Amino acid sequence: MTELQHLASTPLRGRLSRDVPMRKHTSWRTGGAAERMYQPADLEDLLVFLRGLPAGEPLYAVGLGSNLLVRDGGLRGTVLMLHGTLSGLHLELDGSIYVEAGVPGAKLARFAALQDLQGAEFFAGIPGTLGGMLAMNAGCYGNETWEKVLRVQTVNRHGEVHVRTPADYEIGYRHVMRIEDRGSRIEKHPPALRSSILDPQSSEFFVAAWLQFSRGDADSARQGIKALLSKRIATQPLNLPNAGSVFRNPQGDHAARLIEQCGLKGRRIGGAQVSEKHANFIVNTGAATAADIENLINEVQAAVKQQTGIKLHPEVLIIGEAK
Ligand SMILES: Cc1cc2nc3c(=O)[nH]c(=O)nc-3n(C[C@H](O)[C@H](O)[C@H](O)COP(=O)(O)OP(=O)(O)OC[C@H]3O[C@@H](n4cnc5c(N)ncnc54)[C@H](O)[C@@H]3O)c2cc1C
C-alpha cells in the first residue's frame, strides 16, 4: 500500500507525514525512513485514526526511539509517534500520578519530586517515554516500571480503550505480555516486537498509566535524581548516540562483563563501535549505518557464545528492512 486510504468519518487533527527518516526519531541516529508517520493531536484523535485504519496496515508505536534500531531499508506501514503528544501528567485525588504514554521519564521523575513523592527518581535516567518504559518494563538500580503501576490505559487496533491492572499481565525482566495473549499468534513474535505489531486479533498498546509512589520530600528526591544522573555520566558513553544496553543480562551475570572478558571492547564495524566505557553499549561514532550496528551485534553475540557458551539476547528492538 503506497497511499494510506484512511477511512475516518471524523476529520483527523494530527499530523500525517511520509518518508520520515527514523534517524531523527531514534537515539542511535541512524536507519531508514518510515513509510508513514502519524502524530495524533491527542487521545481522541488517536482513536479516530485507529478506527479508520485499513486492516492490513502495519503499525508501530514509537516513543523516543531509545531502544530501537530501524534497518537502512526503512519501515513499511505507519509509525505512531507518541512522543510530543499524549503528554498529560497530573496528580489524582487519591495521590497517584496519571501519566500519558508520550511523557519522558525525566519529566515524570521531576514531577513526582515536586509533589513530595519518592520512588520515581530512577525514571530520570531512562531516556524513553512512559509508553516505551511500560512496553519494556524498563528499570535500573533495583527498580522496575511495573512495580509502580496501579492501572494502565490501553487501546487496540480498532481504537477501543481498556483499563487494565498488573494482574492482567505476565511481567518480568524487560518483559511484559498480556496474559490473554499467551498461546496466541502474538506469542510467536520476539518479545520486543509484540507491542509494536498490534496483532489485529489481540495486541494493545499503552496510552496512559496511574502510578503509585510513596510519600517523601522534594529535596531528597531531587538529590536522588542528581546522584543517579552523575552515576550514569560516569559509567555510560552519553557523548555518542547509543541505545543503552544492547543485550539483556543473562541470569546471574552481566552482558557487559562477558563482552569485556571476550576482549570485544572497542571492536568496530564501519561507524559502529563497542563502547570503551561500557561494553554493553554500542555507539555510533558518526556515520554508522543500521547494518553496521546490527552486524556488530551479531558479531558480539557469536564471539561471546563461542568463548563462553552463553547466548546473549538483544534487549534492543530491531525492525524494518535491510537495504
Ligand atoms: C543512554 C541510554 C540509557 C538507557 N538506560 C536504560 C536503563 O537504565 N534501563 C532500561 O530499562 N532501559 C534503558 N535504556 C533503553 C530505553 O531507554 C528503554 O527501553 C525505554 O523504555 C524505551 O522507551 P522509548 O519511549 O524510547 O521506546 P522506543 O524505543 O520508542 O520503543 C521501544 C519499544 O516499546 C514499544 N513502545 C513504545 N511506546 C509504546 C506504547 N505506547 N505502547 C506499547 N508499546 C510501545 C515500541 O513499539 C518498541 O517495541 C537506555 C537507553 C539509552 C539510550
Side-chain angles (χ1 to χ4, degrees), residues 2-5 16-21 33-37:
T2 47
E3 267 318 288
L4 184 67
Q5 297 300 314
L16 182 65
S17 320
R18 292 183 173 79
D19 288 328
V20 181
E35 202 175 4
R36 283 173 283 279
M37 178 177 282

Side-chain angles (χ1 to χ4, degrees), residues 22 25-28 59-69 80-83 86 100-105 122 125-141 143-145 153-155 173-174 191-198 203-208 228 232 236-238 240-245 281 315-319:
M22 287 303 287
H25 298 282
T26 54
S27 59
W28 252 321
L59 201 55
Y60 299 90
V62 170
L64 274 157
S66 62
N67 205 44
L68 210 55
L69 181 66
L80 281 178
M81 175 46 68
L82 301 179
H83 175 238
L86 300 192
E100 289 187 345
V103 173
F122 76 99
I126 303 177
T129 58
L130 175 81
M133 295 190 292
L134 287 170
M136 300 299 304
N137 192 19
C140 55
Y141 309 125
N143 299 280
E144 282 185 345
T145 303
Q153 193 175 26
T154 65
V155 301
Y173 167 64
R174 307 291 176 268
L193 268 178
R194 285 178 192 144
S195 52
S196 302
I197 284 172
L198 294 181
S203 178
E204 302 175 347
F205 64 103
F206 302 107
V207 289
L228 197 140
R232 283 186 174 256
Q236 299 180 354
L238 302 182
L240 289 171
N242 68 77
S245 291
F281 278 50
E315 177 174 321
V316 293
L317 171 70
I318 304 174
I319 52 177

